[in-house]
Amino acid sequence: TIEMKVVRADSASRLRVAIVEDSEIIVSRLKQMFSSIGNVELAGEAKSVRTAFQLVSSEQPDVVVLDIQLQGAVPSMNGITLLAMVKLN
């Protein structure tokens, strides 16, 4: 079950969301959910730590929906690693 609460500071502003998830099913459901909310814009999606870091660095989304158990080519690089990398930059 996915629960989401959207706080709207201004009806004219758009909330830019990036999805970092390796499951196509979950990405599809999240995109479907976000598309039903008028002021949410998809900033992009990534399936690996490397592409997610590039996405977050370049697009600077307001929110990142992050799979902390993200599977990567390097076993030690997961969603927690990505979070630390983004926080340092």
Side-chain angles (χ1 to χ4, degrees), residues 10-87:
D10 178 358
S11 61
S13 66
R14 296 186 59 84
L15 187 66
R16 298 185 72 242
V17 178
I19 300 172
V20 180
E21 172 62 63
D22 53 3
S23 166
E24 287 291 334
I25 294 170
I26 294 174
V27 170
S28 176
R29 298 265 167 87
L30 286 169
K31 287 169 70 173
Q32 184 179 42
M33 182 178 65
F34 289 136
S35 71
S36 70
I37 301 169
N39 69 332
V40 175
E41 173 186 339
L42 184 62
E45 59 184 90
K47 293 177 177 36
S48 71
V49 171
R50 183 179 311 237
T51 56
F53 184 73
Q54 292 169 345
L55 170 67
V56 172
S57 297
S58 66
E59 294 298 321
Q60 299 184 346
D62 302 309
V63 175
V64 177
V65 177
L66 174 62
D67 176 3
I68 61 170
Q69 296 179 344
L70 192 64
Q71 301 298 313
V74 179
S76 63
M77 292 185 72
N78 56 27
I80 301 291
T81 306
L82 174 63
L83 185 60
M85 290 167 58
V86 169
K87 188 175 179 181

